[in-house]
Amino acid sequence: MVTHTIDPMTVYLDHAATTPLRREVLDAMMPLLTSDFGNPSSVHGHGRKARAALDEARERLARGLNAQPREVIFTGGGSEAINLALKGVAWAGKGRGNRLITSAVEHHAVLHSMRHLEKFGFEVVVLPVDRYGRLDPEQLDQALNDRTILVSLMLANNEVGTIQPLGELVRRVRAHRGVAIHIDGVQAAPYMAIDVQEMDVDLLSIAAHKFEGPKGVGALYVRHGTILLPQMHGGSQERFRRAGTENVAGAYGMAVAYDLARAEQVEVAPRLAALRDRLRDSLTALPNVELTGHPRKRLPGHLSVIARETDGEALILNLDMAGISASTGSACTTGSTEPSHVLTALGYPEEETRGSLRLTLGRTTTDADIEHALAVVPQTISRLRSATAALVLDPLGEQVGA
Ligand SMILES: Cc1ncc(COP(=O)(O)O)c(C=O)c1O
């Protein structure tokens, strides 16, 4: 039993890491966790009820992505969807070729899956990005050859919020026959309309907890006709593509959460962008604070900066004490001593990456939250800097002002 509670006054600005479960979503899931708990594979009434809920979830999610229900595979989160896409397509295409292409700013679920495949003889090309985290279509063109079987790119970056110019990149891939395109849509899903037909992609991963759905639930869209080898063996669930009793309540919650997020995107995105811009202006007005990622082509609620001469970890701890939950980069990189691979790929030297700060807003972020952040964040950066300067300047090496 976890007894620790979060002060309700805390301002949560880490929505890129995860979002709270939405009340309406929890309410929709509840009957499937209690009275309607059946296994969708069972033939009795309980089972049929669960099957109906799972079918409805699949239909709703498919409609939201402009896909067919049979093209949706429910998974245990974004990482699992990505692993299934990459490994599934790579192994299925092994006879035709072995080149896999991705970018240097992908999530570790992509990069580590690629590194894993490399050990089995796949050739992995990791493309560089520009200062904003965007790929050059020419470089993608040059990397594509007749041995290429898969290209995996992200729609929006989790650490710096940059949106990839996917239209042009996908066109370049489509000029080569037989290359599957996987898109990591995990961060983009809450804020951008995702239409797999319009985007012309073969596979796309999303995760429910990024749009106020439950954690540990994701989905992989797989275009009909794309061959994919299962990575989880056992029962015949998900049309033999992912064995295991389905997380019916989770899948249902995901579909409800995605419907709500899509319906509200038009209103939520500009409101968050305006709040984010206020915060950005106040932070970048400080000396030596630089926005990371693209200044305009970025997720609406996403703010990431490098505050030089500050230590990101110390900053996060101090913000936490002042009632603000923020992060240095991705949730997965936090706590690691490695510099962020994303900021490194954008060309920032290691000492600068140490001062990274990410503040990410979500649908439930209020004006009052941002007022609090405006009062606290710039002041905390300045205070930490003076404390560090005092330590450095003290001629006797005594701890002053720490
Ligand atoms: C861009 C991106 N891809 C994939 C993932 C992995 O998703 P999950 O945490 O649901 O496994 C994340 C999570 O932060 C992400 O930001």
Side-chain angles (χ1 to χ4, degrees), residues 16-18 76-82 106-110 154 156-159 184-188 205-210 215-218 330-332 358:
T18 197
S79 299
E80 192 197 313
I82 291 169
E106 300 300 311
H107 189 270
H108 280 144
V110 169
M154 68 201 322
N157 186 270
N158 45 313
E159 286 193 39
D184 174 354
V186 170
Q187 285 294 333
S205 299
I206 55 173
H209 70 112
K210 305 292 186 186
K215 290 177 186 43
V217 189
S330 73
C332 329
R358 181 182 74 175

Side-chain angles (χ1 to χ4, degrees), residues 62-357:
R63 208 175 312 126
L65 299 168
N66 195 14
Q68 300 295 318
R70 65 179 171 182
E71 296 174 316
V72 171
I73 304 176
F74 285 112
T75 66
S79 299
E80 192 197 313
I82 291 169
N83 272 259
L84 174 57
L86 271 49
K87 295 172 187 171
V89 168
W91 284 117
K94 186 94 172 104
R96 285 186 296 113
N98 72 337
R99 180 173 276 213
L100 313 171
I101 301 176
T102 190
S103 90
V105 290
E106 300 300 311
H107 189 270
H108 280 144
V110 169
L111 290 172
H112 292 178
S113 293
M114 291 284 191
R115 290 289 166 236
H116 170 81
L117 288 163
E118 216 168 26
K119 293 188 195 130
F120 295 92
F122 289 94
E123 183 200 2
V124 177
V125 180
V126 181
L127 295 171
V129 292
D130 66 13
R131 185 72 172 173
Y132 299 136
R134 305 214 302 171
L135 280 151
D136 176 0
E138 293 301 323
Q139 282 183 324
L140 174 60
D141 240 359
Q142 282 160 23
L144 286 156
N145 65 10
D146 56 8
R147 303 278 305 151
T148 309
I149 48 181
L150 174 72
V151 174
S152 181
L153 300 174
M154 68 201 322
L155 180 47
N157 186 270
N158 45 313
E159 286 193 39
V160 295
T162 298
I163 297 167
Q164 280 297 341
L166 276 187
E168 182 54 27
L169 296 166
V170 168
R171 267 193 294 283
R172 303 289 175 122
V173 181
R174 286 297 185 223
H176 296 254
R177 276 174 61 86
V179 183
I181 306 174
H182 167 255
I183 299 300
D184 174 354
V186 170
Q187 285 294 333
Y191 306 111
M192 294 172 70
I194 292 181
D195 180 325
V196 290
Q197 307 310 332
E198 210 172 283
M199 289 171 74
D200 190 20
V201 297
D202 302 305
L203 305 112
L204 185 133
S205 299
I206 55 173
H209 70 112
K210 305 292 186 186
F211 45 84
E212 297 178 89
K215 290 177 186 43
V217 189
L220 176 64
Y221 157 77
V222 187
R223 184 176 291 281
H224 183 60
T226 304
I227 305 167
L228 180 96
L229 292 189
Q231 299 302 306
M232 184 77 80
H233 301 97
S236 60
Q237 291 91 350
E238 302 296 308
R239 294 172 170 258
F240 291 95
R241 294 168 300 182
R242 197 251 188 193
T245 301
E246 303 89 338
N247 178 355
V248 182
Y252 197 78
M254 178 176 198
V256 171
Y258 194 57
D259 272 351
L260 290 166
R262 277 195 321 122
E264 293 163 3
Q265 261 164 8
V266 197
E267 177 264 318
V268 170
R271 185 175 68 79
L272 295 189
L275 290 176
R276 185 269 322 271
D277 289 351
R278 286 184 62 201
L279 208 48
R280 177 203 59 203
D281 292 347
S282 104
L283 291 191
T284 53
L286 292 173
N288 278 327
V289 175
E290 185 188 315
L291 182 77
T292 56
H294 200 281
R296 292 176 315 281
K297 305 233 177 322
R298 62 186 300 135
L299 290 173
H302 197 294
L303 175 60
S304 54
V305 295
I306 281 185
R308 295 189 178 82
E309 303 124 40
T310 39
D311 175 62
E313 290 295 325
L315 189 53
I316 299 308
L317 292 175
N318 278 269
L319 288 176
D320 187 33
M321 286 189 283
I324 294 183
S325 293
S327 113
T328 52
S330 73
C332 329
T333 327
T334 307
S336 134
T337 50
E338 290 292 304
S340 145
H341 70 282
V342 174
L343 294 176
T344 304
L346 267 57
Y348 291 94
E350 182 174 345
E351 58 293 357
E352 291 192 6
T353 67
R354 303 268 166 228
S356 71
L357 171 68

Side-chain angles (χ1 to χ4, degrees), residues 9-23:
M9 295 308 286
T10 297
V11 172
Y12 183 78
L13 292 179
D14 201 10
H15 290 83
T18 197
T19 58
L21 181 67
R22 196 169 174 160
R23 183 79 230 181

Side-chain angles (χ1 to χ4, degrees), residues 27-50:
D27 290 346
M29 290 169 68
M30 218 39 155
L32 298 162
L33 292 163
T34 52
S35 52
D36 305 338
F37 58 84
N39 184 325
S41 299
S42 304
V43 291
H44 48 60
H46 281 93
R48 288 198 305 276
K49 213 158 186 180

